[in-house]
Amino acid sequence: MTASSPCFTAIEIFDRRPDGVRFSVKLTPKAASNMLDRVELDSDGAARLRVCVTVAPEKGKANKALIALLAKEFGLPKSTIHIQSGDTARLKTLHIDGDPDHLIDQLSRAMTRMSLVFDPPPTRKRTPMAQLIDGKAFAANLRRTIADQVAQLNRDHGITPGLAVVLVGNDPASEVYVRNKGRQTIEVGMQSFEHRLPQNTDEAQVLDLVARLNADPNVHGILVQLPLPEQIDSAHVLAAIDPKKDVDGFHVINAGLLATGGKGLVPCTPLGCMMMLHDHLGDLSGLDAVVVGRSNIVGKPLAHLLLAANCTVTIAHSRSRDLPDICRKADILVAAVGRPCMIKGDWIKPGATVIDVGINRIPAPEKGEGKSRLVGDVDFASAQKHAGAITPVPGGVGPMTIACLLANTLTATCRIHGLDPSDPDAR
Ligand SMILES: Nc1nc(=O)c2c([nH]1)NC[C@@H]1CN(c3ccc(C(=O)N[C@@H](CCC(=O)O)C(=O)O)cc3)C=[N+]21
C-alpha cells in the first residue's frame, strides 16, 4: 500500500538516534529532475522518502547526487549525511549526524516548506543556533588580499616572496598538508620550494639544508614540517632557522618577542584565530578568554595575543581542576587540546564565541569500512546550541592556518627588504 504526502509528520520519517537521525529513502535515478518527490509507506507500514535524481546509478554518482540534493534541501553540510546501507540498491537507509532534536526540528521545517509533511511549526521553544564562523571563506578572502599585495610588491619592487617547506619522512597526512601549502603558495603568486628528505635523515643534514635556505635570497620563509623523526631534535632545528624567515613563529626569538610585545613573526594558527575573533567580535577588550591547551604552537602564543588584545586570559589544560566550570566563564573559548569532541555544549556560556583548533581524524564506520572523518576538540552538535558563534571542523581554523602562513611569508619578505608591511606607502 502506498499513500501520498502530506499526511505524514517528520517524526514518522526521521528516526531519532543518539547521534543523529536515521531514515529510509527510495531513490529513482535517471529521473527528469532532481527532487524530493513524496513520502510513502513501505510494505511494513513505515514511512520512506522518495527521491529522484537525474544521473544514472554509475560509480556512485546517484548516491553522490542524492546526498548533495538532501544537503541542499535540508540546509545541512554534505559531510553529515551518510548512506548507512543500500549503497547499490534503490532502497537505502541514511543517517544524518548531529543533535537529534535539532535535526528533527530543522528537517521538519524543510519538509514542511516542500509540502512533504504537514507538521505545524514546532511549538517547543527552540534554542537559537550558533552562527558559523566560516574559516574557509575567510581564508579565501585573505589569500585574495595577499595575492594583490604580492602582485604589487612584484610590480613596484621586482620582488617575489618565496616559501621553502621541508618535509622529512613520508607521513601521508603531512604529504597532503605540504602539497596544499605548495599549491596555495603558487596561487597567490609566490615561489614555492619543496624539500623532501628521507625518513632516516640525520639532524646534521636537516641543519645543513636550513643553513642553505637561510642564505638563499629567494627564500623569505622557511617551514620545517613537524613532527620530525625521532633521531632529530626539533628544538635544534627550529633554533637554526633565521628568525626573520621563521614564518611558523616557532623560534625562541619570535616566541620571546610575542611574549614581550615586540615585533616578530606570530605562529599561524593563533594568528588565524585572532583574525576570526576580531572579525566576529570587533574589540575584544575586557572579555574573558579561556584557552584550553598549553602547547608552544597554539595555546601559549594565543594566550599572549589575547592578552595583548586586552582580554582576561586563563590557560587551562589536562590537569586543570573542574575544567567544565572554567570553560563556563569564557566569553571566548578556544579548544586546542587534540582530544576529539572533548568540550561539551553545557561547558559553554550561552552566546560565547567558540574557536575549535582541534583537527582529529576519527574512524567513521557509518561511511563505510576503513573510512574516517575529521572532528574538532569541541562536541559540535551540543556546542551549537549554547555558543553564539563557533568555527566548524573542517572549514574553520585549518584553512586560516595555511592562509596565515602565506600572510607571514609576505610580512617576512617585506621586512627583509626594509618595506614595512603595516605601512602601505612603503610598498
Ligand atoms: N611546522 C609546521 N607548521 C604547521 O603549521 C604544521 C606542521 N608543522 N605540522 C602539521 C600541522 C597541521 N597543520 C594543518 C594546517 C591546515 C589544515 C587544514 O587546512 N585542514 C582542513 C582539512 C584538511 C583535511 O581534509 O584533511 C580544515 O580544517 O578544514 C590542517 C592541519 C599545520 N601544521
Side-chain angles (χ1 to χ4, degrees), residues 174 176-177 180-181 223-227 248 250 268-269 359 361 374 393-399 401-402:
S174 294
V176 174
Y177 295 142
N180 281 342
K181 283 172 191 162
L223 179 148
V224 179
Q225 184 80 8
L226 299 178
D248 261 331
F250 294 165
C268 304
T269 300
I359 297 180
R361 196 163 276 288
L374 289 183
V393 177
V397 173
T401 296
I402 301 186

Side-chain angles (χ1 to χ4, degrees), residues 377-392:
D377 291 347
V378 178
D379 177 35
F380 188 82
S382 64
Q384 220 184 3
K385 289 193 279 189
H386 296 256
I390 184 166
T391 60

